[in-house]
Amino acid sequence: MKNAQIQNGVWPTMITPYTPDGKIDYAMVEKLVEWYIERGVAGIFAVCQSSEMFFLSDEEKVELASFIVKQVNGRVGVVASGHTPDSIDDQVRIVHKMAETGAENIVLLPNRFANADESDDVLKKNLETFLAKVDPAISFGFYECPAPYKRVLNAPLVSYLADLGRFSFMKDTCCDAEQVIEKIRAGKGIVKVFNANCAQLLMTLKAGASGFSGVMANFHPELYAWLCKNFEAQPELAERVQNFLGVVSAIESRMYPVCAKKYLKTFHFPEMSDYSRTLDASKFVPAFYTEVVELEALYADILKYWNLDLGVRV
């Protein structure tokens, strides 16, 4: 597992479908995995914040990751997190269990290694203590998760991670293209940086970002996949695609992940529940839902206008 090869492209932060009574709906998990793969993703980021990992038991995290790995069956990559405990010993325990699922990379949260008021030196010390206790064969990533607080890595820290030789994946959520570009350089091609920010994705792809890993890949993963693959060959069209993605992300991000579940239920999986453990789906704003429906109609019209072949039925 060490030095896992992370493919460039789109890595959706996978949502967790539930039954109406709040249990994980594995029939829908299976369909959602297939939906991502059909739309050209490079891999799936499982058991992350989009998956509501802070609201999953350790047993559910491991079971969910294992199911996704088996369903993927090597067709695309799988990275997984579930890194929510406070204590290092508990972190070591869950990481070893997650590694046993077969995910090729276990993604860590920097905010689990230092409090908001503590320095990067504290983070590095605790990370080194953690790494000394885990199987040296496990390959890791880092994810600047907003919960329980958002800790953004700087370029020197990314360089430090690259030098450790244990990290190959990074989901960047700083929303600052200049910082992302600095971190791409600091990663030295060892730590692959995936931007989570839609508005600045193209700019960072041009600077060497490895792709996109964000919540909006639960709406139109095929369009992000197209952009990651074609931004150099078709630069003018890539600018148009980027502008569309940047604008619509402002609509799609509201009341997430309920909005993503309602979108998927409306346009792809009528049998899917919009239940969420993090948000009350009944409080979803009806006017916003209308915007999502109108957006999908606009998306279909734009694809025809651009004569854009995504290689998949949308």
Side-chain angles (χ1 to χ4, degrees):
M1 184 176 181
K2 191 174 181 181
N3 297 322
Q5 294 300 310
I6 301 296
Q7 298 299 313
N8 290 4
V10 178
W11 290 73
T13 50
M14 185 172 179
I15 61 172
T16 299
Y18 299 104
T19 59
D21 60 356
K23 297 178 182 178
I24 297 177
D25 184 347
Y26 281 102
M28 277 309 313
V29 173
E30 178 179 336
K31 292 179 181 180
L32 190 55
V33 166
E34 295 303 317
W35 185 79
Y36 290 132
I37 294 175
E38 288 168 0
R39 279 154 177 74
V41 304
I44 293 173
F45 186 176
V47 196
C48 53
Q49 189 176 22
S50 287
S51 316
E52 306 179 62
M53 66 178 177
F54 286 96
F55 296 82
L56 299 175
S57 69
D58 285 354
E59 292 75 16
E60 287 176 317
K61 294 174 191 173
V62 174
E63 184 180 67
L64 180 58
S66 181
F67 184 93
I68 292 168
V69 169
K70 290 178 181 177
Q71 182 64 31
V72 165
N73 194 27
R75 290 174 292 169
V76 298
V78 179
V79 302
S81 184
H83 178 229
T84 60
D86 293 324
S87 77
I88 288 179
D89 286 343
D90 285 340
Q91 292 173 21
V92 170
R93 176 180 51 78
I94 188 62
V95 161
H96 278 138
K97 287 184 176 180
M98 293 298 287
E100 290 172 359
T101 67
E104 59 203 74
N105 184 297
I106 306 303
V107 184
L108 307 175
L109 277 57
N111 60 37
R112 300 294 76 211
F113 294 110
N115 296 324
D117 60 348
E118 293 179 321
S119 69
D120 286 343
D121 287 338
V122 173
L123 185 155
K124 291 165 69 174
K125 179 181 177 181
N126 288 331
L127 176 60
E128 289 166 2
T129 299
F130 166 85
L131 291 175
K133 295 185 175 187
V134 297
D135 185 339
I138 299 175
S139 180
F140 291 106
F142 250 138
Y143 160 34
E144 295 171 339
C145 182
Y149 83 93
K150 186 171 179 176
R151 190 178 190 106
V152 173
L153 303 180
N154 55 32
L157 265 177
V158 175
S159 178
Y160 159 79
L161 294 176
D163 291 341
L164 287 175
R166 301 288 301 275
F167 291 81
S168 57
F169 177 95
M170 178 180 171
K171 177 183 172 181
D172 189 287
T173 68
C174 72
C175 302
D176 184 320
E178 291 184 2
Q179 286 189 48
V180 176
I181 292 169
E182 289 178 0
K183 286 185 263 191
I184 292 168
R185 294 168 181 160
K188 308 170 187 177
I190 300 169
V191 179
K192 290 198 168 188
V193 178
F194 292 82
N195 196 349
N197 182 260
C198 304
Q200 300 172 334
L201 176 58
L202 180 57
M203 188 185 307
T204 56
L205 288 173
K206 291 178 179 179
S210 294
F212 178 71
S213 183
V215 302
M216 305 314 160
N218 286 293
F219 292 84
H220 304 113
E222 67 281 354
L223 200 54
Y224 288 96
W226 183 94
L227 183 61
C228 289
K229 293 175 183 176
N230 296 284
F231 73 94
E232 291 179 309
Q234 301 185 59
E236 293 184 2
L237 185 53
E239 290 286 351
R240 297 191 188 105
V241 171
Q242 169 62 77
N243 291 339
F244 173 78
L245 292 174
V247 170
V248 301
S249 66
I251 297 174
E252 295 166 345
S253 61
R254 288 183 288 179
M255 286 198 72
Y256 183 83
V258 171
C259 56
K261 295 183 178 186
K262 284 187 174 290
Y263 165 80
L264 289 166
K265 178 180 178 65
T266 301
F267 295 104
H268 298 284
F269 306 110
E271 70 277 26
M272 184 176 184
S273 168
D274 57 13
Y275 181 92
S276 168
R277 294 183 184 178
T278 60
L279 290 172
D280 185 350
S282 68
K283 295 181 180 179
F284 192 78
V285 180
F288 169 53
Y289 178 69
T290 300
E291 292 178 1
V292 173
V293 173
E294 292 175 349
L295 173 60
E296 195 65 10
L298 174 63
Y299 176 55
D301 289 342
I302 285 177
L303 293 184
K304 292 178 183 177
Y305 178 76
W306 287 339
N307 193 27
L308 188 60
D309 182 9
L310 300 175
V312 65
R313 183 174 62 86
V314 295

